[in-house]
Amino acid sequence: MNKLKFSFNTLQVFKRVFYIKRSFCISTQKPIEFTFNNNNNNNNNNNNNNNNNNNNNNNNNPTITVPPTTIINNNNSNNNNNNNKNNEELSTKNQYIKLLNKIRDDFTGKMTTSEVEKYIQLEQNILESDELIDFHLGTFYAQGILVEKNNEMALEYFRKSADDNNNSKGQFAYGLSLILNNTENLFKPLFPTIINNNNSNNNNSNNNNNVLLGNGWVSINNNNNNNNNEEQFDYKKWLKEERKKSILFKENLIKDEINERERIEKGLRYLHLSAIQNFSVAQFNLGLILLHGKFNIDKNEKQGIYWLDKASTDFDDIHSTLELGKYYLSSYSNDSLNNEEHLVLALKYLIKGSTKLGDSESSFILGSTFINRDNKNKEEEEEEEEDQLIDSIKFLKLSIEQGNCKAPAFLALLYLDGVGGVGEKDIEMFNHYLELGVERGDSVAMVILGEQYFKGENKREQSYKKALQLFIDASNLGNSDAYINQGVCHFNGFATNVDYSKAFYCYQNAFNLNNKSIPAISNLSNMYKHGLGVPKSPENSNYFNSLLIKIHQELN
């Protein structure tokens, strides 16, 4: 078998080539560095934006009216035959039916289409079986859907669903709740419209009842004892008590660690039970935990891969398929021997995720990792045809079609430099894909477009105002480079007043987001050195200078 000849470059290597070479410094009167495209640590800030367009489409959906269902009826004559208080308490099923009735009567006209579909599914579930009632009630209490959020109640309903009903979803919810020690963030919000409405009502009621009693401080003055002689301090007694406190603290700490370990192990057992019952979500989470050793659980890569592969193979689970693709790709790139088997497996899962499951992230990884080589000779072209080289441009465009928010900016940079198989430099295509990235909320695209406006390049009329606004928008999304650029605008007065304090604030935020950002560290050192926007501090300046030296040593 001929060795595969892939033009393999990791995304990080690609960014060194295409980002750093266009980075620049704006000369200022003071030694402040300015870079735009060094985004090594910012791509992850956009991972959660891939489906923003799909979610936003729900806002304009037509109103759907849900007709009453015969089973959703609380007027049971048998419940009125007894006035005993015990009979006034709703059973679990009746409590659940009452909540569904309220959703139907008060909220279905306000909900999005997807929310209405979820509600209809809940009605169908209760018509078919009572098995999921405890699980759904647990979700209601976990998310505060028409009831007050209650972690203990949610956990108890999940336990009942897991133990009493042997339900795989209940086992998953109970197990993961124990591992996380929380029930609130197990699932995406079931009915965001209802949750948001309840939150707004709670905020309004809190504002109306916001009464400050007193000055917020209570002190007790024992004036009668002021003239009394203070008791002599007993050092030995104090030391003995402190030793007791220290011993008790250590004992409690050990007990807490043991309890936490037992709780996590118990949660892991329930995750196993759910995974064994072929609940793919449990298989994915269990595989992820074991593969990476999360939550202080011993890493077991073999078991982790088994469960992820099972979820991917048996249920076409997108998340499991993507995770396996990333795992094998990382193993290949980090292995000095470049184990070809890992590369083959990485391509297997990523291509499946991209082409069969329609996963935009899988398509983006394929397109941004296996960059097409330019200026190939005949021998290289024949070898690539024989080995079926990954067409990076094809996968980048596929990722864009699938709604990925990072792919447009990446492809735009290829067109800007005319590399990676796109042909000659094409400014029109560069601007097209860059604007698409901004529309999809990609902070990297915003920073790059801001650079174009700042310099007035690539058919953009120079506008410091537009540039600053783009930097602000990208900063709000957590982009460290955007904070640096915004800081430079405040420092020099580009489209705003000179404000050293705001500049320092921006550089500080950039450093907090990326503690290896050379421009942020350098600027903070200068600000402390000269006392610009912050009290002068040679100690802090030297600290940041030492960080710079350490980072340069690591890079070299």
Side-chain angles (χ1 to χ4, degrees):
M1 175 180 175
N2 294 330
K3 185 175 181 179
L4 292 171
K5 295 182 183 297
F6 289 98
S7 178
F8 179 79
N9 294 291
T10 64
L11 180 57
Q12 187 174 2
V13 172
F14 176 84
K15 287 188 292 185
R16 282 207 301 269
V17 175
F18 292 100
Y19 278 60
I20 293 179
K21 79 176 193 177
R22 274 194 313 284
S23 63
F24 67 99
C25 295
I26 291 181
S27 58
T28 62
Q29 294 181 351
K30 298 187 174 60
I32 301 296
E33 296 187 12
F34 186 40
T35 63
F36 281 104
N37 293 326
N38 183 17
N39 62 335
N40 291 344
N41 289 289
N42 290 314
N43 281 333
N44 289 335
N45 294 327
N46 299 293
N47 287 341
N48 295 327
N49 293 327
N50 292 346
N51 297 319
N52 282 351
N53 291 339
N54 294 333
N55 293 335
N56 292 334
N57 290 336
N58 291 331
N59 295 331
N60 298 320
N61 287 325
T63 301
I64 297 178
T65 303
V66 180
T69 317
T70 54
I71 191 69
I72 309 298
N73 185 1
N74 291 323
N75 297 324
N76 191 331
S77 59
N78 293 330
N79 293 333
N80 298 324
N81 294 332
N82 197 330
N83 292 325
N84 192 295
K85 290 184 179 181
N86 293 331
N87 291 333
E88 293 177 359
E89 297 179 1
L90 290 170
S91 66
T92 299
K93 182 175 181 179
N94 285 338
Q95 180 188 6
Y96 181 56
I97 290 175
K98 182 179 180 181
L99 292 172
L100 289 184
N101 275 336
K102 187 169 181 60
I103 293 174
R104 183 198 63 207
D105 296 338
D106 298 345
F107 293 99
T108 49
K110 306 173 184 177
M111 294 192 300
T112 63
T113 303
S114 62
E115 289 178 307
V116 173
E117 290 174 351
K118 291 176 185 176
Y119 168 78
I120 293 174
Q121 184 61 51
L122 293 181
E123 279 198 345
Q124 292 175 349
N125 288 342
I126 199 172
L127 286 169
E128 296 169 0
S129 171
D130 296 347
E131 181 182 341
L132 289 171
I133 289 179
D134 288 324
F135 168 75
H136 288 315
L137 274 176
T139 305
F140 276 41
Y141 276 103
Q143 298 184 1
I145 302 174
L146 299 182
V147 293
E148 187 176 350
K149 283 185 181 180
N150 190 318
N151 187 71
E152 294 181 358
M153 290 289 290
L155 191 65
E156 176 60 20
Y157 277 117
F158 288 149
R159 185 203 62 76
K160 288 175 63 179
S161 178
D163 291 342
D164 299 349
N165 300 322
N166 194 31
N167 180 265
S168 61
K169 291 184 179 180
Q171 291 166 344
F172 163 74
Y174 185 55
L176 196 58
S177 296
L178 290 174
I179 291 173
L180 299 175
N181 200 23
N182 196 323
T183 62
E184 187 172 346
N185 299 316
L186 295 182
F187 308 102
K188 292 180 180 179
L190 191 60
F191 299 116
T193 301
I194 299 176
I195 296 173
N196 294 335
N197 183 74
N198 289 341
N199 289 339
S200 62
N201 291 337
N202 290 336
N203 291 334
N204 291 334
S205 63
N206 290 337
N207 292 333
N208 294 332
N209 297 317
N210 187 15
V211 180
L212 181 64
L213 300 177
N215 296 320
W217 176 261
V218 177
S219 62
I220 300 176
N221 296 320
N222 295 321
N223 295 326
N224 295 332
N225 296 328
N226 287 341
N227 297 327
N228 295 339
N229 294 328
E230 294 183 359
E231 295 182 4
Q232 186 176 0
F233 179 68
D234 190 339
Y235 175 77
K236 291 183 178 180
K237 181 180 179 181
W238 172 84
L239 184 60
K240 185 176 180 180
E241 291 177 352
E242 289 301 312
R243 285 175 177 172
K244 287 182 179 179
K245 291 179 182 179
S246 177
I247 294 171
L248 183 61
F249 174 78
K250 290 179 180 179
E251 290 177 349
N252 290 334
L253 189 63
I254 293 173
K255 288 180 181 178
D256 290 342
E257 290 177 352
I258 293 173
N259 291 336
E260 181 181 9
R261 185 66 184 176
E262 291 177 348
R263 173 174 51 77
I264 291 175
E265 289 178 350
K266 182 179 180 180
L268 197 62
R269 288 197 298 272
Y270 276 92
L271 273 187
H272 271 100
L273 290 174
S274 181
I276 290 170
Q277 293 200 64
N278 290 326
F279 186 42
S280 61
V281 179
Q283 292 173 344
F284 165 70
N285 282 274
L286 180 59
L288 194 67
I289 290 171
L290 294 174
L291 184 65
H292 300 290
K294 293 178 177 292
F295 309 111
N296 295 322
I297 294 173
D298 295 336
K299 182 186 291 187
N300 189 330
E301 293 185 348
K302 185 177 179 180
Q303 281 290 310
I305 291 171
Y306 167 79
W307 286 113
L308 290 173
D309 180 69
K310 187 171 179 60
S312 173
T313 303
D314 296 350
F315 303 101
D316 285 337
D317 183 72
I318 290 179
H319 303 293
S320 300
T321 305
L322 174 62
E323 187 63 32
L324 285 169
K326 292 193 296 185
Y327 168 77
Y328 282 117
L329 187 59
S330 175
S331 298
Y332 172 79
S333 60
N334 294 330
D335 186 0
S336 58
L337 300 177
N338 284 349
N339 190 332
E340 191 173 293
E341 182 182 356
H342 287 174
L343 179 58
V344 172
L345 288 170
L347 291 174
K348 167 190 169 183
Y349 288 109
L350 290 173
I351 291 175
K352 175 184 177 181
S354 170
T355 58
K356 181 179 179 181
L357 305 180
D359 178 38
S360 68
E361 186 66 17
S362 296
S363 302
F364 176 69
I365 292 174
L366 287 167
S368 60
T369 304
F370 301 93
I371 305 300
N372 295 345
R373 288 180 289 181
D374 300 299
N375 302 323
K376 301 182 288 292
N377 55 41
K378 281 189 176 182
E379 184 178 349
E380 288 176 328
E381 289 179 354
E382 291 175 357
E383 290 176 348
E384 289 178 359
E385 289 178 2
E386 180 182 351
D387 294 321
Q388 297 180 344
L389 178 67
I390 296 295
D391 188 345
S392 61
I393 304 303
K394 169 189 170 183
F395 280 104
L396 282 174
K397 290 182 176 180
L398 178 60
S399 178
I400 292 171
E401 292 175 5
Q402 293 166 338
N404 191 277
C405 75
K406 297 179 293 184
F410 197 99
L411 185 57
L413 293 178
L414 295 180
Y415 277 111
L416 180 62
D417 290 329
V419 295
V422 298
E424 296 182 357
K425 180 177 179 178
D426 191 331
I427 299 301
E428 295 294 336
M429 295 300 289
F430 163 72
N431 284 324
H432 167 71
Y433 284 112
L434 191 60
E435 290 172 358
L436 181 60
V438 172
E439 289 176 6
R440 294 185 178 182
D442 177 26
S443 66
V444 175
M446 294 175 187
V447 172
I448 298 173
L449 184 58
E451 171 190 347
Q452 308 309 305
Y453 279 117
F454 191 94
K455 296 190 294 183
E457 291 184 344
N458 298 315
K459 300 185 178 181
R460 301 285 178 184
E461 184 178 351
Q462 187 180 52
S463 173
Y464 292 144
K465 184 178 180 180
K466 289 182 179 180
L468 177 58
Q469 186 58 53
L470 284 164
F471 298 150
I472 292 173
D473 293 342
S475 298
N476 292 335
L477 294 173
N479 188 299
S480 65
D481 293 331
Y483 267 119
I484 294 171
N485 299 343
Q486 185 185 345
V488 171
C489 290
H490 287 300
F491 186 91
N492 295 280
F494 295 126
T496 185
N497 296 326
V498 173
D499 192 325
Y500 294 144
S501 297
K502 287 184 178 180
F504 175 83
Y505 167 81
C506 291
Y507 300 145
Q508 185 70 53
N509 281 343
F511 176 74
N512 291 337
L513 289 168
N514 178 11
N515 59 11
K516 292 190 177 181
S517 171
I518 292 177
I521 296 172
S522 177
N523 291 346
L524 285 171
S525 176
N526 288 324
M527 300 291 274
Y528 276 116
K529 181 179 180 180
H530 300 288
L532 301 173
V534 67
K536 185 181 292 187
S537 173
E539 294 81 6
N540 286 335
S541 179
N542 292 335
Y543 167 76
F544 284 107
N545 275 330
S546 65
L547 285 182
L548 276 180
I549 295 172
K550 183 179 179 181
I551 291 173
H552 284 303
Q553 289 175 346
E554 292 176 354
L555 293 176
N556 296 330

